[in-house]
């Protein structure tokens, strides 16, 4: 039995040629069969919650997927210990192995305090990674999320991916994180997906 699960994604922007870069799309005329995909998330677990199935599909189709995390996602919480952080890192590594993520960068910005970081510092850190990896496709947070780290991550990605000579990024996609995207203020930018990525698998049930 084939089952289809849809992952909602907003796009900045998209055209007919760019659709060849989506998982499962026609790759005729693309520079190579294997593409470089970068997931930029505020915290470990955001990548799995936001686009885990899409990551796995990219990997299954031969693409190289790397990830960047801006904070540890834990240190701002009360009564957290070094052991808790070690456990979170270990769990993240296990998840990345399952999804097939090739390389991970941790930028170590302060957790849940990204609004206090100079945006230029975040942008420059991302630009160094973009220059080294040269991704063609990026997945990141939606601009209207309740979590401040998510919003700053989005702004930094969009700034780092602004059109520049010899820039390799062709598409930027945003994903939702339940309990953050859906809890945003009604006056903020709403997540209105226009792309659904189909994840197919076969079940004996």
């Amino acid at each position: 039995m084939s089952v289809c699960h849809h992952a909602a994604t907003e796009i900045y922007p998209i055209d007919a040629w760019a659709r060849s870069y989506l998982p499962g799309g026609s790759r005729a005329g693309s520079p190579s069969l294997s593409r470089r995909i970068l997931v930029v998330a505020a915290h470990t677990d955001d990548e799995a919650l936001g686009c885990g199935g899409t990551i796995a599909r990219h990997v299954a189709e031969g693409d190289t997927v790397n990830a960047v995390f801006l904070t540890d996602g834990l240190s701002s919480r009360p009564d957290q210990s070094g052991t808790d952080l070690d456990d979170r890192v270990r769990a993240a590594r296990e998840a990345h192995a399952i999804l097939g993520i090739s390389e991970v960068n941790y930028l170590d910005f302060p957790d849940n305090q990204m609004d206090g970081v100079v945006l230029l510092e975040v942008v420059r850190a991302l630009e160094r990674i973009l220059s080294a990896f040269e991704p063609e496709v990026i997945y990141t947070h939606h601009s209207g999320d309740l979590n401040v780290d998510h919003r700053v991550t989005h702004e930094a990605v969009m700034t780092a991916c602004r059109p520049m000579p010899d820039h390799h990024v062709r598409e930027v996609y945003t994903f939702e994180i339940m309990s953050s995207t859906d809890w945003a203020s009604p006056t903020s930018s709403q997540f209105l997906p226009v792309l659904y990525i189909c994840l197919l698998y076969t079940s004996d049930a």
Side-chain angles (χ1 to χ4, degrees), residues 138-154:
I138 291 182
Y139 293 91
T140 193
H141 294 282
H142 180 250
S143 62
D145 279 13
L146 177 64
N147 186 284
V148 65
D149 290 351
H150 294 188
R151 296 197 304 272
V152 174
T153 299
H154 173 91

Side-chain angles (χ1 to χ4, degrees), residues 1-4 200-205:
M1 178 179 66
S2 293
V3 179
C4 183
L200 296 175
Y201 66 93
T202 300
S203 171
D204 294 329

